[in-house]
Amino acid sequence: MGTITVEYCDWSARSGHDRDACEGHVMGQVAVTHFGVRVQRGSVHGLRLTRDTYTRVSTRNSLWFPRALSPRTWDARMEDFVDEDHRNYSEEWCTRARSLALENFDLNMAYFAQLDEVEFDDAVQTAVRSIAGVRVVTDLERWNAVPGVYVMVLDDYKQVYVGTTGRQVGVMKRIRQHWTNSKPLDRLVFGTVSTSILSIDSFRALDTTRIYAARTSAPFEHERLLLDEFPSKFTLNRVSGGDPRELGILHASGYDTIRERALKVVDDA
C-alpha cells in the first residue's frame, strides 16, 4: 500500500490566484489548516460541498416516532418502509427522496447565482457592525469553550449562517461540528422542494470563507438581532433565531417559525 502524506494549506489566509492554487494542491490531501485548526477530509464528503456527494443514501428513518403518536400519519406511510416498525425506508422511497433533494439542491444553486456580491458584502458588514463585541475570527483555537454567537460566511454562495453556543461546546467546537456533520436523506428537504433552504451542515469546511463571533451571556438575543439585520435571502438559517424552547412553544401555538425562500430557476434571457 502507498503512503499517504498529510500536507497542510492555510486556506483561510489565501485569496484570488493563491487560493485557486491552494485548492488544486488540497484536492489530493487528507487534511488542511483552516482558520487555525486542522480539518480532516471526510471519506465521503470531502472539504467542499459538491452535488455528487450531497445526497448520501441511507435507509434509516431519522424521523421515527411511535404509531401511538399519530396513527393516521403512520398508517398512511406504510408503503414507504420495509419493516412494520417503520425503522428503514424502502429502496423506492430512497430513490424518490434523493431525486427531490437534488432538485432542491439545483434550485438553491440557481438562487445563489442570481444574488449580488456587492449587496451581500454590504449586508455582512452592516450586520456585524450592528452588534457590539462582534469580532473577526482568524484562529478558532482562541474560541475554544467560548460561549456566544457566531456568523459563518460562505462568500462563494453569498450566504451566512448565524448560530449560538454555550460554554460546554464553545464557538470553535460548534463550527467544527457544522463542518463535519451531515443531514440524513430524510432531512435534506425541510418543507417543500421549492421552499427548502440548504442546511449549513451540508456545506463543508472550505465553503466557510469568513467567520465573525462575539462572546455573550445572551446568545439567543444576539442571534435574533443579527438575523434581523441580514436580508433573509442571504441566510441559511432554517428556523427563526432565539431560544429553542421558546420557538417550540411558539410553533405549538401556531406561529410560523420555519424560514423558507421562494426558489425558482432564473431565466437566461
Side-chain angles (χ1 to χ4, degrees):
M1 295 179 62
T3 301
I4 297 177
T5 302
V6 180
E7 296 190 38
Y8 299 91
C9 181
D10 192 356
W11 181 270
S12 56
R14 295 172 180 257
S15 61
H17 175 75
D18 288 341
R19 187 168 152 188
D20 292 339
C22 183
E23 180 172 18
H25 182 66
V26 163
M27 290 301 290
Q29 310 308 323
V30 297
V32 298
T33 297
H34 195 43
F35 290 98
V37 297
R38 183 175 181 270
V39 181
Q40 189 78 22
R41 172 187 291 277
S43 60
V44 176
H45 295 290
L47 294 169
R48 274 185 169 277
L49 170 64
T50 68
R51 191 178 192 275
D52 290 340
T53 59
Y54 175 62
T55 56
R56 182 170 59 90
V57 175
S58 171
T59 61
R60 185 179 68 85
N61 178 9
S62 74
L63 301 170
W64 185 87
F65 59 89
R67 183 180 184 277
L69 189 63
S70 180
R72 180 176 298 180
T73 301
W74 177 284
D75 293 342
R77 298 197 59 196
M78 288 182 62
E79 293 185 358
D80 292 341
F81 302 92
V82 296
D83 59 310
E84 294 183 356
D85 199 32
H86 290 199
R87 297 284 184 175
N88 293 283
Y89 294 109
S90 68
E91 183 178 344
E92 292 78 11
W93 184 92
C94 290
T95 299
R96 292 196 306 271
R98 183 176 186 274
S99 177
L100 293 174
L102 288 175
E103 181 181 353
N104 174 254
F105 178 93
D106 292 338
L107 288 173
N108 271 279
M109 291 300 152
Y111 180 88
F112 299 150
Q114 55 87 36
L115 297 175
D116 185 79
E117 292 182 12
V118 175
E119 183 185 0
F120 171 69
D121 189 60
D122 288 345
V124 172
Q125 298 304 324
T126 298
V128 299
R129 290 170 182 165
S130 69
I131 306 296
V134 175
R135 299 159 49 191
V136 175
V137 175
T138 57
D139 185 355
L140 280 172
E141 289 285 358
R142 298 181 179 179
W143 292 83
N144 185 24
V146 176
V149 62
Y150 57 88
V151 180
M152 300 167 67
V153 182
L154 293 75
D155 283 290
D156 293 341
Y157 299 97
K158 298 177 283 287
Q159 296 289 292
V160 302
Y161 178 81
V162 181
T164 64
T165 180
R167 186 180 301 278
Q168 287 186 329
V169 177
V171 171
M172 181 187 75
K173 184 176 180 180
R174 188 69 190 100
I175 289 178
R176 288 175 66 91
Q177 287 174 344
H178 288 306
W179 289 346
T180 56
N181 286 346
S182 61
K183 290 293 183 187
L185 182 60
D186 57 4
R187 293 176 184 260
L188 289 178
V189 176
F190 189 64
T192 69
V193 169
S194 60
T195 61
S196 177
I197 299 172
L198 290 188
S199 168
I200 183 62
D201 290 345
S202 290
F203 294 87
R204 300 295 91 191
L206 297 189
D207 294 318
T208 300
T209 49
R210 287 183 278 171
I211 299 174
Y212 299 88
R215 178 192 288 267
T216 173
S217 59
F220 297 129
E221 179 63 24
H222 282 79
E223 180 187 36
R224 275 194 294 262
L225 292 172
L226 278 169
L227 278 177
D228 286 344
E229 287 292 331
F230 280 109
S232 60
K233 63 184 177 181
F234 294 136
T235 60
L236 291 171
N237 293 67
R238 285 178 151 187
V239 296
S240 302
D243 190 325
R245 293 168 297 183
E246 295 178 5
L247 292 176
I249 294 173
L250 289 172
H251 184 73
S253 301
Y255 289 91
D256 188 7
T257 59
I258 297 176
R259 296 163 61 92
E260 299 177 333
R261 58 181 36 146
L263 300 172
K264 63 179 180 179
V265 177
V266 179
D267 294 332
D268 294 333

